[in-house]
Amino acid sequence: MKRPFTSLIESQQMVAPGVQERIFELASAYKQNPKGDCLRGKRVGMLFYEASTRTRWSFEAAVDDLGGSRISTENAREFSSATKGERLEDTIRVIAGYVDCIVLRHYEDDSSQRARDLLDSIGCKVSVINAGSGEGQHPSQAALDRFTIREELGRTEGLDIAIVGDIRRSRTARSLAYLMGRERNRIHLVSPLQLRMKSDLLGYLARHEVPVKEYRSLDDVLGIADVVYMLRTQNERPSPGMEPLTEADVLNCRMTLSRAQSVKKGGIIMHPLPIVDEIVPEVQYLPHASYFRQSDNGVPVRKALFEIMFG
Ligand code: NCD
């Protein structure tokens, strides 16, 4: 089978028929049998300019289990030549000389695309995986989110998916909406006014005739959502001119124990993590709190992505 992609920059690349099924099958197989060899003889560079626990560790665990080797920079903003003023493009060009794949987390929305464009411009085939680009995208997270939905609900079509909280600045929410919106799902957006989904993505969903509704309180969607996808407020990404959140804004988007118990029967609660205070800790013990199973799925799903790109 022809590779559907050799770099993963945005989740729209995984919308093509068959790709999601392949990810599901491969990731399920890796859950049963964690070892593989599709990265044997390959070196992966982890270039992380922003904090990460799950994403970097799960990519690293995946590389190890697939027989690859890796070089990691977990705080590239301070430790790489970025401190000396080097442009991202130059760093990418240098690192591409040492590795077969660059897993990039960066604070600018277009960083992974710029890395890909630079490598294309010099005819370099080294792969790029976007592991989170500013307020832009986080496609491998969307892949593991979709996998989790499929595992927990048995289907990924015709669902009511509520996304709750700081939708404006969450790249995970953007990547999920791009991916799940194309599978005849209905998207319910719950956020304070100033943290609404950006207009480019609303426009994309409208063009693809994805039903989208907006709300201000979590209470409005508990009875309808099959998936309640919670988000933290991304305070580290200041939005100039944005009105500060009121206490009511925060409370409207908080998953309390009683709200969690009111989620529609069969519905699940997800979160890309880290949780700050938007879900109270007691919720994790409810059987339909799926977020730690979701983070566990990071390793097998990232293995599936490597297999598709290198297998
Ligand atoms: C997310 C991210 O970095 O975008 N975390 C993750 O990768 N699981 C979400 C977040 O930081 O809120």
Side-chain angles (χ1 to χ4, degrees):
M1 181 178 170
K2 192 176 164 299
R3 290 184 207 289
F5 47 83
T6 52
S7 281
L8 183 58
I9 310 297
E10 54 180 30
S11 60
Q12 296 92 306
Q13 290 173 265
M14 300 184 287
V15 167
V19 176
Q20 281 304 326
E21 244 354 85
R22 187 126 179 261
I23 295 173
F24 184 78
E25 281 163 20
L26 289 169
S28 303
Y30 277 123
K31 279 188 98 158
Q32 297 302 316
N33 185 1
K35 300 285 181 193
D37 61 4
C38 68
L39 290 180
R40 197 157 304 286
K42 305 272 182 214
R43 185 174 290 128
V44 180
M46 311 274 169
L47 185 59
F48 278 59
Y49 290 81
E50 281 190 339
S52 170
T53 309
R54 284 145 286 272
T55 304
R56 190 170 59 82
W57 282 51
S58 60
F59 266 116
E60 291 189 355
V63 172
D64 290 351
D65 279 352
L66 297 177
S69 63
R70 54 181 162 83
I71 305 175
S72 287
T73 304
E74 61 178 291
N75 194 352
R77 217 164 172 161
E78 279 178 38
F79 296 128
S80 79
S81 295
T83 48
K84 303 178 188 168
E86 186 171 55
R87 292 185 322 135
L88 175 67
E89 279 82 352
D90 289 350
T91 308
I92 293 291
R93 187 170 185 154
V94 170
I95 287 179
Y98 309 146
V99 299
D100 302 284
C101 177
I102 298 171
V103 179
L104 177 64
R105 169 166 290 193
H106 193 276
Y107 46 89
E108 285 170 353
D109 296 11
D110 61 353
S111 45
S112 283
Q113 187 60 55
R114 275 166 50 207
R116 185 65 267 153
D117 291 346
L118 176 273
L119 296 176
D120 287 343
S121 76
I122 56 168
C124 175
K125 297 258 181 282
V126 165
S127 299
V128 176
I129 300 179
N130 178 0
S133 51
E135 297 175 12
Q137 284 228 22
H138 193 351
S140 65
Q141 178 72 41
L144 79 89
D145 292 343
R146 185 193 180 278
F147 177 87
T148 304
I149 292 170
R150 168 81 191 263
E151 264 206 340
E152 305 256 322
L153 299 181
R155 66 197 165 104
T156 53
E157 287 190 353
L159 298 170
D160 285 283
I161 300 178
I163 306 178
V164 185
D166 185 352
I167 301 172
R168 175 190 168 92
R169 296 176 294 192
S170 293
R171 53 202 179 198
T172 60
R174 286 178 67 83
S175 287
L176 186 70
Y178 275 117
L179 193 63
M180 300 297 293
R182 299 292 295 279
E183 294 190 273
R184 295 189 297 106
N185 293 306
R186 293 166 292 277
I187 311 266
H188 305 271
L189 303 172
V190 184
S191 72
L193 262 183
Q194 54 274 53
L195 297 178
R196 290 179 63 204
M197 182 175 276
K198 288 181 188 162
S199 55
D200 65 324
L201 182 46
L202 285 172
Y204 173 93
L205 295 172
R207 282 199 301 287
H208 288 93
E209 297 178 7
V210 181
V212 174
K213 274 196 193 160
E214 294 192 79
Y215 313 78
R216 297 281 90 83
S217 169
L218 187 45
D219 294 322
D220 300 329
V221 297
L222 292 174
I224 46 178
D226 300 294
V227 175
V228 183
Y229 191 92
M230 299 293 296
L231 299 165
R232 76 182 169 93
T233 304
Q234 308 251 332
N235 288 319
E236 76 274 28
R237 304 187 199 285
S239 307
M242 192 184 97
E243 287 281 313
L245 297 183
T246 64
E247 205 178 321
D249 290 332
V250 174
L251 293 179
N252 279 336
C253 292
R254 176 168 294 156
M255 185 60 83
T256 58
L257 189 57
S258 71
R259 278 177 171 154
Q261 286 161 335
S262 311
V263 168
K264 173 178 142 179
K265 198 170 170 344
I268 56 171
I269 302 168
M270 297 179 67
H271 194 304
L273 306 184
I275 294 167
V276 183
D277 56 5
E278 61 282 357
I279 303 183
V280 302
E282 295 72 33
V283 171
Q284 68 184 293
Y285 302 109
L286 299 176
H288 61 293
S290 304
Y291 33 94
F292 291 115
R293 292 190 293 276
Q294 180 185 356
S295 65
D296 288 344
N297 286 334
V299 179
V301 170
R302 291 183 166 114
K303 287 177 187 169
L305 295 173
F306 278 128
E307 172 104 34
I308 286 175
M309 293 169 65
F310 292 97

